[in-house]
Every structure is written in C-alpha cells, then in structure tokens.
C-alpha cells in the first residue's frame, strides 16, 4: 500500500483515580468495567518487585486464563461495532507477539518500541500508578471514545479517515476495531521510577500489547460497513462466528505462533551479573504513626505518607514545629507539605521547645501544649536533576549532624558514560558518579533512569570493586580523604 501509517497523538484519561493511557499505532485491547473483567489484571497489581524479578524469562508473560479472557473481550466488542462490520476478523493470540511485548515491558520506557519493529506491528501501551486500579479502566476509556466517532462512509473517507472525531480524540477506538488486526500478544510488568510524560511514577503497572497486522492507515476506514461476514477475505472460506470472519471449528481454535514476527532484540546482550536493589532510605508510615525520639539518623529523616490521611489523621500538637508525639503525616498535612493524596516529606528534629501553639490549617486542627517537649518540623522533599558524572559533593556534602540530601533524578543511559568512575560496591567513594553507582547497585535501570535517595556516611577503610549491571567499579585501599555514600531506591 502507498498509504503511510499515522502517528496517533496520546491522550490523558482519568477514571476514578489517577491513571494514564497512550496509543500511537494500534489499539485492540478491549476490556469492559464489569466486576468479572476487573479480575483480569488484579492478580498482578499487588505483587512486589521481588516476585516480578524472580520470574523466569522463559515462562509466559501473562497467564493462560488472562490470555483467553482478553481474547474473548476483544472479539466480543469487535463483533458488536455499530454500524456493523462486513469484514471484521476474529482475533487470535500470537506467542511471538507476546514475547516481543514482554521484552518491551521490561524496558519500562514510556514510548513505543523497539523502533525496528514499529513498521511491522501495532502497539498499545497502558500504565497506571497505584494499586487500586487495574488496567481494565484504561481500556474501557479507550473504547468509550466511540461517542466522539463518526463512521466514515466511503464517500467521506479520503483524506480524513480514520480521524472523524467530534471530540478531542477517537483514534484509540478506531484502533480497537481495526478489522484486519487479527493477532495479539500482551505482557505486564511492574516498573519502578517510570518516567511517564515527565512525571516519575514510583510503581507503575505497565501493560504492552503488540498487534499484527498493524492498523490506522491514512485514507482507510477501520472496517467495511455491511452485513456481518459478507466481505470476509477468501482465506476464511465463508466461516463466520459472532459476526466475525472466522476459520477453524467452533470453540477449538488455538493460538498460533507467527514465525515472521521480527526478533524484538537483535543486539540484546543480557548482563549475567544482574543486581536489583529495592532497599529504601525513605520510611513508609501509616496515617497515625507518631514520630518518636527512638529513631535517629538519616534513614529516619525521610517518610512516605499514604493517601487519605485527612480521614484518620491522628493527633497533632503544635504549629510550624510539632511535638514528637504528633502524627508525622498529620503534621505534614497541617503544614501543607503534603495533601490528601499522600506523598514524601523530610523531618528535622529541633530539640526541646517550651510550648506548642494550636491552630486549624488545611483541614487539620492541631492542639496546644504549654510544657517543654522535643519537637520536629516537616519540609518538602527537595528534588534535583543530575548528570551522569555528578558526584555527591555537588548536592550532598558530608557534614555532621547529617543534613538532608535532595532526592536526585538521573537521566537515561548513564551506562554509556564510561568517563565517570564508580569506586566501591554498596558503599561508594564520594568521588564516584552518583548515577552510575545507582545503576551498579541496581537502584535504577540505565534504560529509564529515575529517582534515588543518597545517604552520606563516614569513609570506608577500603572500597571493593565488582562488576554488576554492566558497570565495573574500582577498588580503593586506605583512601586518604573524602567520605562515602550509599544509594537507595525510591518505590
């Protein structure tokens, strides 16, 4: 065909809670929002990183049950389009497309790829942040774009088709019902520190679906209007099932591999010394957790509060500075450092204060206190973007008492910056590149970059080198100057 494939612009969709969807080439994942269908991906959303990392790459990227349920949903909705389709093809599962989708899902890159495959397959990406919404909600939102779509009859089709939208976008829907896209393979991965359109999502559930043949061609409608199965390709030999062009005995079809699907990673060279660290410096607390003097040191200075603490905030004593028996999260809400969506905060201990003033702020009523007690204040976690060769001294000099270091954001592909040294393993010399040390420690992935926390510590008597995650660190014995640091994941 002389037609050129269109690049579909992304759209943001909000259904009940924060989530995001993107489709650029082909969308055919269609799940509805019934209670039964929400179970498709529920089993994945509560799995921790160790569960995902422990999975063998040789195993299926998605369960048999989910595979068949997704296929049934695709075919149900494809068979119910209005106006009816005369050439809508029955969709089957393709294990090679599943394999290529798994490869891309594990890169945790919020973009379509790999680039060498995009002319031969369609691809749909979906992601959500948090544990309360499975990706079924994304797909329902895509399908609901039908309300903006006017079917392009043949006399209307060129050159606008398939972009006949009365609303901001309907291209997700047109991909879903593209008649000739008859094969699908999907994979799911949990991605830590995933960069989604400039925002860092600490724990994103990433869904990748690949489709063949690709759809959304300029100058073509997604399907032909007419009596169901009246214009099926000759290869179907007149077979029809649930308004779809179908071949094979009813109920006995099996997914077939597609040998000509290109290798998703022709130059892939997996590192045998793979290391992943999910250790966090940030402490996760409950809404009512009180700050107590028994916890000291840098690892007790940064906290993550859950959403919904306005409903059960716990006790707060003071204004500006707070009694140590106050709820950490409630104090952060009172001071305006976080809102009811939760978030991160830094705590600084201030020693004893003679009195604490009551006030009502940001939906929280604090109490007063007229006797001396230990106190603390809460602050927003500062964030700084760094380069691949940035060292600790720039943003996080070692001083006592230990001060807060900003949360740092590393760019992609620092693995390739061979000029920046890494000295040590787990504990690194402060002459090391922060970002490359984080890749070495398994805190971030070079493909995606991401956030990390840094803890300055006293220098070590020796730093032991090792090879991990594609980076060979140096050894150093009896350093004469400088300090050390550790890197921690942000999850």
């Amino acid at each position: 065909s002389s037609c050129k494939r269109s690049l579909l612009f992304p759209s943001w969709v909000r259904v009940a809670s924060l989530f995001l969807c993107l489709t650029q080439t082909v969308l055919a994942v269609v799940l509805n929002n019934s209670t039964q269908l929400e179970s498709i991906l529920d089993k994945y959303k509560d799995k921790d990183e160790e569960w995902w990392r422990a999975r063998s790459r040789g195993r299926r990227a998605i369960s048999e049950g989910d595979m068949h349920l997704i296929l049934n949903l695709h075919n149900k909705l494809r068979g119910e389009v209005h106006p009816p389709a005369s050439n809508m093809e029955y969709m089957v599962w393709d294990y090679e497309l599943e394999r290529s989708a798994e490869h891309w899902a594990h890169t945790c890159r919020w973009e379509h790829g790999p680039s060498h495959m995009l002319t031969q397959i369609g691809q749909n990406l979906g992601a959500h942040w948090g544990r309360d919404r499975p990706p079924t909600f994304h797909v329902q939102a895509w399908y609901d774009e039908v309300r903006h779509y006017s079917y392009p009859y043949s006399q209307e089709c060129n050159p606008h088709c398939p972009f006949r939208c009365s609303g901001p976008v309907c291209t997700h829907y047109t991909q879903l019902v593209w008649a000739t896209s008859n094969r699908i393979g999907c994979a799911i991965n949990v991605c830590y520190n995933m960069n989604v359109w400039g925002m860092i999502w600490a724990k994103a559930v990433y869904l990748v679906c690949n489709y063949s043949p690709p759809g959304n061609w300029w100058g073509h409608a997604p399907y032909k209007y007419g009596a169901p199965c009246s214009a099926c390709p000759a290869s179907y030999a007149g077979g029809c099932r649930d308004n779809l062009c179908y071949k094979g005995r009813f109920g006995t079809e099996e997914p077939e591999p597609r040998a000509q699907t290109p290798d998703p990673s022709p130059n892939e060279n997996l590192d045998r010394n793979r290391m992943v660290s999910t250790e966090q410096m940030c402490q996760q607390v409950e809404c009512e957790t009180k700050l107590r003097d028994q916890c000291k040191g840098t690892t007790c200075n940064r906290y993550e509060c859950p959403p919904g603490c306005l409903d059960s905030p716990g006790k707060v004593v003071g204004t500006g500075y707070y009694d140590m028996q106050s709820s950490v999260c409630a104090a952060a809400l009172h001071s305006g450092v976080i809102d009811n969506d939760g978030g991160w905060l830094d705590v600084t201990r201030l020693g004893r204060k003679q009195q604490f003033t009551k006030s009502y702020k940001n939906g929280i009523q604090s109490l007063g206190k007229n006797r001396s007690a230990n106190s603390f204040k809460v602050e927003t976690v500062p964030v700084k973007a760094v380069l691949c060769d940035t060292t600790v001294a720039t943003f996080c000099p070692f001083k006592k008492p230990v001060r807060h270091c900003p949360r740092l954001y590393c760019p992609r592909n620092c693995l390739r910056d061979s000029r920046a040294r890494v000295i040590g393993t787990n504990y690194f010399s402060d002459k090391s590149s922060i970002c490359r040390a984080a890749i070495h420690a398994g805190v971030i992935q070079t493909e995606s970059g991401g956030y990390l926390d840094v803890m300055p510590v006293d220098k070590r008597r020796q730093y032991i080198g090792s090879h991990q995650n594609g980076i060979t660190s140096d050894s150093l014995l009896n350093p004469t100057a400088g300090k050390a640091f550790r890197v921690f994941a942000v999850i």
Side-chain angles (χ1 to χ4, degrees), residues 52-69:
W52 289 92
R53 295 296 182 186
R55 294 173 69 245
S56 167
R57 289 301 296 268
R59 296 176 59 188
R60 294 291 308 282
I62 201 166
S63 73
E64 284 283 328
D66 290 344
M67 178 194 76
H68 287 291
L69 185 52

Side-chain angles (χ1 to χ4, degrees), residues 226-238:
C229 300
S230 62
C232 293
S235 61
Y236 286 91

Side-chain angles (χ1 to χ4, degrees), residues 422-462:
V422 178
I423 303 171
T425 300
N426 296 329
Y427 289 83
F428 301 96
S429 165
D430 61 4
K431 299 184 183 301
S432 302
S433 154
I434 298 172
C435 296
R436 282 172 56 81
I439 295 171
H440 182 274
V443 167
I444 62 172
Q445 298 181 13
T446 186
E447 298 89 350
S448 56
Y451 280 141
L452 62 125
D453 282 329
V454 174
M455 179 196 294
V457 295
D458 282 312
K459 71 178 181 181
R460 317 296 288 181
R461 294 182 178 179
Q462 61 179 2

Side-chain angles (χ1 to χ4, degrees), residues 322 329-339 361-362 378 380:
Y322 303 93
C329 298
L333 284 167
H334 184 266
S335 64
V337 168
I338 64 171
D339 58 23
K361 290 186 175 182
N362 303 311
V378 290
T380 303

Side-chain angles (χ1 to χ4, degrees), residues 121-421:
I121 64 167
Q123 187 175 76
N124 173 57
L125 309 179
H128 74 275
W129 183 19
R131 303 184 182 185
D132 57 343
R133 297 294 184 213
T136 53
F137 289 93
H138 306 302
V139 182
Q140 184 62 47
W142 295 331
Y143 182 74
D144 288 345
E145 289 176 7
V146 66
R147 66 181 180 271
H148 300 309
Y149 184 66
S150 299
Y151 182 85
Y153 293 92
S154 57
Q155 66 268 23
E156 302 176 326
C157 191
N158 197 2
H160 307 288
C161 166
F163 305 104
R164 301 286 294 180
C165 292
S166 58
V169 66
C170 63
T171 49
H172 303 106
Y173 168 76
T174 60
Q175 295 303 295
L176 185 154
V177 297
W178 201 265
T180 57
S181 296
N182 59 19
R183 292 176 181 270
I184 180 176
C186 303
I188 301 169
N189 187 33
V190 172
C191 294
Y192 294 85
N193 306 320
M194 186 172 174
N195 189 331
V196 181
W197 292 102
M199 295 191 303
I200 304 302
W201 288 10
K203 188 176 183 180
V205 178
Y206 190 24
L207 171 67
V208 177
C209 287
N210 288 343
Y211 306 92
S212 180
N216 268 9
W217 294 76
W218 284 104
H220 290 261
Y223 59 85
K224 295 179 182 179
Y225 164 63
C229 300
S230 62
C232 293
S235 61
Y236 286 91
C240 186
R241 175 181 178 181
D242 298 330
N243 298 332
L244 303 173
C245 303
Y246 174 76
K247 53 187 173 184
R249 289 184 300 161
F250 186 89
T252 62
E253 78 286 351
E254 291 294 334
E256 302 172 6
R258 188 176 179 85
Q260 61 265 40
T261 302
D263 190 330
S265 52
N267 298 316
E268 184 177 15
N269 180 20
L270 295 176
D271 189 347
R272 294 181 179 179
N273 296 295
R274 185 72 174 170
M275 169 66 183
V276 176
S277 173
T278 58
E279 185 180 2
Q280 296 186 77
M281 185 181 82
C282 183
Q283 307 294 304
Q284 294 179 319
V285 295
E286 301 298 328
C287 294
E288 300 86 358
T289 301
K290 298 178 180 179
L291 187 71
R292 301 182 186 278
D293 229 352
Q294 62 190 17
C295 187
K296 297 180 180 295
T298 305
T299 55
C300 296
N301 288 346
R302 187 157 290 169
Y303 296 85
E304 180 183 2
C305 292
C309 287
L310 275 175
D311 299 326
S312 54
K315 183 174 70 174
V316 184
V317 179
T319 300
Y321 54 86
Y322 303 93
D323 181 274
M324 293 290 289
Q325 299 300 315
S326 298
S327 156
V328 179
C329 298
L333 284 167
H334 184 266
S335 64
V337 168
I338 64 171
D339 58 23
N340 201 40
D341 289 332
W344 290 285
L345 59 106
D346 279 341
V347 166
T348 301
R349 290 162 177 77
L350 300 175
R352 299 190 75 82
K353 297 290 185 181
Q354 296 304 310
Q355 65 178 11
F356 298 85
T357 304
K358 69 177 182 180
S359 65
Y360 181 82
K361 290 186 175 182
N362 303 311
I364 300 291
Q365 176 65 60
S366 70
L367 305 175
K369 186 176 180 178
N370 291 320
R371 62 177 182 272
S372 174
N374 286 320
S375 65
F376 68 95
K377 67 177 180 179
V378 290
E379 299 170 294
T380 303
V381 174
V383 178
K384 298 290 185 181
V386 298
L387 302 176
C388 292
D389 59 355
T390 301
T391 61
V392 167
T394 305
F395 289 111
C396 201
F398 182 90
K399 294 182 179 179
K400 288 189 175 181
V402 175
R403 298 183 179 181
H404 298 300
C405 294
R407 176 157 290 165
L408 302 179
Y409 179 75
C410 290
R412 293 182 185 173
N413 298 326
C414 286
L415 180 64
R416 301 175 184 174
D417 195 332
S418 58
R419 298 167 299 173
R421 294 182 69 190

